[in-house]
Amino acid sequence: MADKPRIKLPKEAAKGEVIQIKTLVSHVMESGQRKDAQGKTVPRKIINKFACEFNGKPVFSCALEPAISANPYIQFDAKVDEAGTFKFSWTDDDGTVITAEEKVALKA
Amino acid sequence: MKAINRRQAFALGGGFVMLTLMPMAADAEVTNDAAKWIEKFTGGKTPAKGKISLDLPEIAENGNTVPLSINIESPMTADSYVKDVMILADGNPNAGVATLSFTPLSGKAEASIRIRLATTQNVVAIAKMSDGSLFTEQKTVKVTIGGCGG
């Protein structure tokens, strides 16, 4: 849980280039369907929202359901028109938000 | 109690057969609230076929992590882009899988995620464009080991 999310994206991009971003965050994504050894249902605990912003503008987001695998991997694209910072956030059912940032420069 | 005649006995027996067969028949059909999700997303409109390419393995050995890639044909400009894409699995305990929201800044309407599938079933994607038009695509995935419960 305390693991840093892993994010892979190019360090620099040409103006207007569409880059691919890969993200992976460690999380059990407990579906709320499983039962423990005593037959009690394990309460649901998942990341229900992922969002990515670039310089404050929304790029991509998704609402996640229990049908997302553990350690959710999300890959998407983003268009880079200027140098700036990508901000990523993963929101847990219990309200905690895991955040990360990555900078992208423009190719000279 | 009134004795039952032959005809009634048949009717009763038939009823039992129906009862025992019904849960089995339901397994092959949509077993969850997928229709409700679709209704909510589309607002009752029927989505057209096409534009979406949905990439999933034909046979998933492990239903716990099934790779899913989706790509929607769109110029992704401020005037015309893919807004939301809903992904559903019609044989899971809950139909919802994910709802992806793109913006013109996404550049491409393309994403990959890994999903859980409880059993062999259809995975459905419905895309909503910025002009309100709807497109759909579905794929059947055979699952050897289910990914829910366990």
Side-chain angles (χ1 to χ4, degrees):
Chain A
M1 185 66 211
D3 289 357
K4 235 181 112 219
R6 281 192 279 166
I7 298 163
K8 208 173 166 189
L9 78 171
K11 287 250 177 312
E12 49 178 20
K15 192 176 156 64
E17 192 185 341
V18 176
I19 59 165
Q20 191 176 65
I21 303 176
K22 293 174 179 173
T23 69
L24 185 85
V25 63
S26 303
H27 196 278
V28 287
M29 295 297 275
E30 190 56 64
S31 68
Q33 313 277 347
R34 282 183 340 130
K35 297 208 163 62
D36 63 13
Q38 279 79 45
K40 273 188 286 186
T41 309
V42 184
R44 175 182 134 154
K45 187 183 186 336
I46 66 164
I47 287 184
N48 55 43
K49 188 150 179 60
F50 167 76
C52 171
E53 283 182 357
F54 183 60
N55 292 345
K57 284 170 283 187
V59 173
F60 174 84
S61 67
C62 61
L64 306 173
E65 304 292 336
I68 298 294
S69 306
N71 304 333
Y73 164 83
I74 303 165
Q75 182 215 304
F76 56 96
D77 292 281
K79 198 168 150 195
V80 179
D81 283 327
E82 53 188 348
T85 313
F86 281 100
K87 274 196 178 139
F88 305 88
S89 67
W90 291 262
T91 312
D92 194 299
D93 270 349
D94 65 14
T96 34
V97 182
I98 307 166
T99 54
E101 277 187 23
E102 286 292 334
K103 280 192 169 53
V104 170
L106 279 188
K107 264 180 203 159
Chain B
M1 197 183 116
K2 215 172 82 180
I4 48 168
N5 62 26
R6 206 175 68 105
R7 219 170 260 197
Q8 280 166 328
F10 263 115
L12 259 176
F16 276 123
V17 172
M18 279 297 286
L19 270 177
T20 44
L21 279 179
M22 245 152 61
M24 281 172 69
D27 268 349
E29 308 276 305
V30 177
T31 52
N32 56 24
D33 51 351
K36 225 189 281 168
W37 283 78
I38 295 173
E39 169 76 36
K40 210 173 142 195
F41 187 76
T42 61
K45 279 195 279 181
T46 315
K49 271 254 162 200
K51 291 226 181 187
I52 305 177
S53 73
L54 189 60
D55 197 14
L56 277 155
E58 228 166 87
I59 298 172
E61 267 173 31
N62 181 358
N64 261 319
T65 45
V66 183
L68 177 152
S69 303
I70 188 162
N71 183 0
I72 300 130
E73 230 179 88
S74 164
M76 293 306 272
T77 59
D79 308 322
S80 166
Y81 62 97
V82 181
K83 244 180 149 168
D84 298 306
V85 180
M86 187 173 66
I87 298 164
L88 297 174
D90 68 8
N92 272 359
N94 296 306
V97 175
T99 309
L100 318 173
S101 307
F102 296 97
T103 67
L105 270 180
S106 306
K108 268 194 243 173
E110 203 178 275
S112 293
I113 50 174
R114 287 174 193 157
I115 66 170
R116 285 179 178 142
L117 295 174
T119 173
T120 297
Q121 60 185 299
N122 295 321
V123 176
V124 183
I126 306 172
K128 198 187 271 170
M129 306 297 178
S130 54
D131 64 0
S133 59
L134 296 158
F135 293 92
T136 184
E137 177 68 279
Q138 75 171 52
K139 263 230 161 120
T140 308
V141 181
K142 285 202 178 96
V143 176
T144 341
I145 305 166
C148 291

